[in-house]
Amino acid sequence: MTREIGAFAGRHVLAELRSIDPGLLDDPAFLRDALRTAVSEAGATVCDVVAHRFEPQGVTVLALLAESHASVHTYPEIGALFADVFTCGDQADPEVAVRLLAAALGTSAVEMSVVERGEKHVTADR
């Protein structure tokens, strides 16, 4: 007899967003709120969000999610943001989170790659 003993499936999105106002990319409070809103509206459960501003410019924001994590790293000098959103399960959609973040940043210049992680079904013979 074969039966399911567990399953893990997740999607990991790596994204590059460009043509963004440099002022937004250097604003930790705006970026923290934008990332929190994007992942929440995409179905994720946010546990915490932290941000760090670098000198002379640039911000990193990390969101700890019940489903995994999301991060953004900004480069105001080139008008770019690089995002990493990984969620497990079916509740949260990391691609939607990136699109919502892009909308909050006022850009449509988005390149995404999606990696399917885990296995759909793990079985064992009993």
Side-chain angles (χ1 to χ4, degrees):
M1 177 178 140
T2 301
R3 69 182 183 103
E4 186 174 313
I5 59 169
F8 169 82
R11 285 184 294 151
H12 200 158
V13 174
L14 302 176
E16 296 184 15
L17 288 64
R18 298 192 182 271
S19 301
I20 303 168
D21 176 352
L24 295 178
L25 295 175
D26 213 28
D27 184 339
F30 170 81
L31 292 165
R32 189 174 46 245
D33 290 344
L35 183 59
R36 177 186 297 276
T37 299
V39 295
S40 293
E41 289 182 4
T45 304
V46 179
C47 299
D48 198 8
V49 180
V50 297
H52 179 80
R53 185 178 181 280
F54 295 93
E55 290 297 333
Q57 61 195 5
V59 177
T60 291
V61 182
L62 303 172
L64 174 63
L65 309 176
E67 298 78 10
S68 193
H69 72 274
S71 67
V72 299
H73 308 278
T74 73
Y75 297 86
E77 66 273 21
I78 61 171
L81 177 146
F82 300 92
D84 166 16
V85 184
F86 177 39
T87 63
C88 57
D90 295 327
Q91 180 174 323
D93 188 329
E95 292 174 78
V96 169
V98 169
R99 287 189 186 97
L100 290 168
L101 183 61
L105 291 162
T107 187
S108 60
V110 178
E111 291 183 29
M112 278 193 275
S113 61
V114 180
V115 177
E116 299 287 334
R117 301 183 86 182
E119 298 180 19
K120 301 272 188 229
H121 299 283
V122 178
T123 59
D125 291 330
R126 299 267 175 181

